[in-house]
């Protein structure tokens, strides 16, 4: 494992990738997401540029050095590792911050798998439990549980995306049956989604255990591959098992910390959420700015997560990434790689 000098991370603070406006050949449309900028090509492929933006509480909070590189390369690692587990959209990784993927029609909900009673946001299972609710997204919860305990079994708890959510614009946790009632998915597709997510989550948990970590919960996005009849297969899209989409805890001292009522040591963006919560921010109004110290510490945690999960040293690619991304994409697309 490598040790990343905090000074190298501090030097990157002024060169983070906050946004892109690439002029690529054959682009049908371009739009930014919370973290990824998407370029949809006329030939049925999608270029996803993973920026250094960090979001929490449904807000973009700023940028973290090398975060985009970590997420893109870690997600590519897991897509490759999970090739025999479930189908996914990834075709190529022509740059540390870029993935090229099959174009899909996204399922209009996020599939959240949970194995522990935890969380800090208003949509978390712990928040609902602490208010006395014993049913969450259609699942009955036992009495007498405490925060961060394992659930009897992993459960699927879908979340509508913000555009389908409540009046405040935040995501909304619902049951699978509710997705069907709203017409967001069919019963047949819900069965496929449930099976795919259970398999992928079991794979992710097993991998985390081998690396000395606990995968407490994770969020998946899935989509239907574009096809002439509109019935293409359902694929995992966006990212899987990264520190942005997943909650990782260190396994070695989890039992002791649970017994003493301490929070588990985490290796994900929960650090940033907890920092904002400590400042009194709970998701309403403009979030407080992240200090440089918090941004550097968050970068250290993202890089540590990469190294622990992959067993490989993370190689910093310093400097302004935008020119490098443009050159690598121009070379990749110019070579006529097909989808």
């Amino acid at each position: 494992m490598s040790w990343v000098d905090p000074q190298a991370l501090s030097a990157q603070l002024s060169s983070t990738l906050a946004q892109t406006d690439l002029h690529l050949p054959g682009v049908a449309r371009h739009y930014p997401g919370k973290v990824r900028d998407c370029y949809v090509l006329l030939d049925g492929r999608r270029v996803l540029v993973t920026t250094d933006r960090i979001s929490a509480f449904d807000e973009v909070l700023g940028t973290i050095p090398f975060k985009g590189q970590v997420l893109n390369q870690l997600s590519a690692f897991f897509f490759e590792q999970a090739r025999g587990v479930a189908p996914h959209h990834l075709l190529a990784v022509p740059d540390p911050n870029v993935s090229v993927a099959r174009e899909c029609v996204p399922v209009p909900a996020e599939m959240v798998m949970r194995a522990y009673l935890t969380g800090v946001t208003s949509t978390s299972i712990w928040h609902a439990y602490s208010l006395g609710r014993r049913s969450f997204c259609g699942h009955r919860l036992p009495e007498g549980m405490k925060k961060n305990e394992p659930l009897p079994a992993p459960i699927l708890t879908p979340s509508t995306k913000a555009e389908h959510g409540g009046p405040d614009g935040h995501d909304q946790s619902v049951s699978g049956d509710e997705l069907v009632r709203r017409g967001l998915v069919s019963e047949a597709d819900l069965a496929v989604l449930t099976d795919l997510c259970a398999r992928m989550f079991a794979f992710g948990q097993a991998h985390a255990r081998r690396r000395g970590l606990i995968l407490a919960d994770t969020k998946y996005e899935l989509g239907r591959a574009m096809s002439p009849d509109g019935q293409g297969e359902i694929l995992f899209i966006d990212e899987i098992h990264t520190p942005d989409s997943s909650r990782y805890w260190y396994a070695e001292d989890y039992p002791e910390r649970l017994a003493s009522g301490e929070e588990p040591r985490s290796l994900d963006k929960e650090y940033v959420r907890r920092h904002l919560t400590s400042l009194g921010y709970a998701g309403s109004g403009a979030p407080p700015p992240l200090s440089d110290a918090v941004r550097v510490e968050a970068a250290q945690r993202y890089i540590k997560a990469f190294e622990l999960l992959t067993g490989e040293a993370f190689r910093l690619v310093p400097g302004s990434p935008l020119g490098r991304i443009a050159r690598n994409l121009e070379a990749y697309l110019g070579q006529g790689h097909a989808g």
Side-chain angles (χ1 to χ4, degrees), residues 17 21 72 104 112 131 173 213 221 257 273 297 314 317:
L17 184 62
D21 186 17
N72 192 64
C104 297
V112 182
L131 295 178
S173 297
L213 298 170
E221 296 203 44
R257 296 178 75 90
R273 292 194 192 97
E297 173 64 22
F314 181 74
V317 184

Side-chain angles (χ1 to χ4, degrees), residues 22-31 37-49 91 94 98-104 226 329-330 332-334 336-339:
L22 300 171
H23 300 284
L24 304 176
V27 172
R29 54 194 172 93
H30 160 227
Y31 61 92
D37 289 353
C38 298
Y39 297 80
V40 181
L41 305 181
L42 293 169
D43 63 9
R45 290 179 294 171
R46 173 178 293 244
V47 174
L48 300 102
V49 183
L91 297 173
V98 179
S99 290
V100 179
R102 295 174 65 182
E103 175 67 339
C104 297
M226 300 290 286
L329 270 173
E330 181 179 351
Y332 175 81
L333 296 174
H337 293 278

Side-chain angles (χ1 to χ4, degrees), residues 152-266:
I155 58 176
L156 175 64
T157 62
S159 175
T160 59
K161 298 183 181 181
E163 59 265 32
H164 297 290
D168 62 356
H170 292 292
D171 296 348
Q172 181 182 9
S173 297
V174 298
S175 67
D177 289 342
E178 180 64 19
L179 292 182
V180 174
R181 282 193 291 271
R182 294 187 186 188
L184 297 177
V185 301
S186 67
E187 287 190 18
D189 282 353
L190 177 62
V192 173
L193 292 166
T194 302
D195 176 64
L196 288 174
C197 291
R199 283 195 275 137
M200 188 65 87
F201 190 58
F203 155 76
Q205 286 190 300
H207 182 89
R209 281 194 298 271
R210 290 193 295 270
R211 305 302 303 169
L213 298 170
I214 295 170
L215 176 58
D217 52 48
T218 196
K219 175 186 70 178
Y220 297 123
E221 296 203 44
L222 297 98
R224 190 180 293 281
M226 300 290 286
S227 66
D229 61 3
Q231 296 300 310
E233 68 177 329
I234 294 177
L235 311 173
F236 283 88
I237 63 174
D238 193 54
E239 66 177 20
I240 56 169
H241 301 159
T242 75
D244 262 21
S245 62
S246 309
R247 194 187 314 268
Y248 286 105
W249 296 334
Y250 287 91
E252 61 180 357
D253 57 359
Y254 163 76
E256 292 77 16
R257 296 178 75 90
L258 178 67
S260 64
E262 294 180 87
E263 288 293 323
R265 285 195 300 136
S266 62

